[in-house]
Amino acid sequence: MKLLVSLILLTASVSAARNGIDFIQPVSVATFQCIKKAGYSFVIPRVFTSVGTLDHTGINNVKNARAAGITDADGYIFPCLATHCPSAANQVKETLDALKSAGTHVSTLWLDIERLAWPANHASNRAFIEAMVKEAEALKQQVGIYSNYYNWQDIVGLDYHGLSHLMLWWAEYDGEKDFGKFRAFGGWTRPTIHQWHGTETGPCGVSVDMNYVP
């Protein structure tokens, strides 16, 4: 009986694992249906760019994914730090307003915290990210952080644990669909999603990064 129970639990654990993709190219409803049929249950299009503009292609991708029956459709903001860009809070608000205007929404809004044009001042970087999170939460939007050990170290410092209550989308192209090589940082002891493989031609001909949730 114990062996049977163990086998049932193991089967349930394996079946619970989910595969997902993130991407920036336009994807049609029909292609999302193909992606879903291929076994991918969540998608994360970009919805705001690092140059400070809405990603209307990504917003439409969220809408198309939901029309194809993919209910776990997230989106990510690549923050813009230049002086001409909207404020941290407005980058979030403009994104969520645009999604609403398009007649759709994201399950989770991820903030892409990786090295690109971030100032050297950890305190100001922390404040910028916190302002984005605060705006998302004020608008009742679930929000998470995309990063890894070295990006976090350079941008806000490893001693900063102020956002460890949020979900972590961990970027580590180690080719393994697991959390085995995760190195704790920022107060996180375990991620929610592992981005385990970089850009490739993925399911149904779409150029994607590969992601995994156990």
Side-chain angles (χ1 to χ4, degrees):
M1 178 60 73
K2 287 183 178 179
L3 177 59
L4 178 59
V5 170
S6 297
L7 287 173
I8 291 172
L9 290 174
L10 178 61
T11 301
S13 176
V14 170
S15 64
R18 300 189 299 130
N19 295 304
I21 54 174
D22 65 276
F23 51 93
I24 60 174
Q25 72 183 78
V27 179
S28 67
V29 174
T31 301
F32 275 122
Q33 289 171 336
C34 174
I35 288 169
K36 182 181 179 183
K37 188 176 181 180
Y40 293 84
S41 63
F42 67 95
V43 298
I44 316 176
R46 185 183 64 188
V47 290
F48 192 92
T49 76
S50 61
V51 297
T53 59
L54 292 165
D55 188 334
H56 291 286
T57 295
I59 290 169
N60 196 54
N61 281 337
V62 174
K63 187 174 184 178
N64 286 349
R66 292 193 177 280
I70 299 176
T71 57
D72 196 351
D74 295 348
Y76 73 90
I77 287 180
F78 203 130
C80 182
L81 285 299
T83 55
H84 69 270
C85 294
S87 69
N90 281 342
Q91 290 182 41
V92 171
K93 186 177 187 304
E94 288 180 14
T95 300
L96 295 177
D97 284 349
L99 285 159
K100 185 177 181 179
S101 294
T104 192
H105 68 282
V106 292
S107 300
T108 300
L109 183 67
W110 298 95
L111 307 180
D112 188 335
I113 310 304
E114 61 179 295
R115 288 168 288 193
L116 178 67
W118 285 89
N121 189 312
H122 284 179
S124 66
N125 292 343
R126 293 175 184 182
F128 190 95
I129 300 167
E130 287 170 357
M132 298 186 83
V133 171
K134 183 178 179 180
E135 182 68 12
E137 292 178 338
L139 295 172
K140 309 302 182 185
Q141 173 63 55
Q142 181 168 268
V143 60
I145 299 293
Y146 168 97
S147 198
N148 64 21
Y149 184 96
Y150 294 106
N151 283 304
W152 202 252
Q153 174 181 257
D154 288 355
I155 295 169
V156 296
L158 294 175
D159 60 328
Y160 176 60
H161 294 185
L163 299 175
S164 60
H165 63 288
L166 301 178
M167 294 183 294
L168 175 65
W169 177 10
W170 170 52
E172 184 68 35
Y173 297 161
D174 60 9
E176 301 291 339
K177 292 201 293 183
D178 58 34
F179 295 166
K181 294 180 182 177
F182 180 72
R183 184 180 180 186
F185 68 92
W188 288 289
T189 57
R190 180 179 172 85
T192 299
I193 303 175
H194 179 195
Q195 186 185 64
W196 62 275
H197 188 70
T199 306
E200 68 169 31
T201 300
C204 309
V206 180
S207 180
V208 301
D209 298 325
M210 297 293 191
N211 297 275
Y212 166 82
V213 173

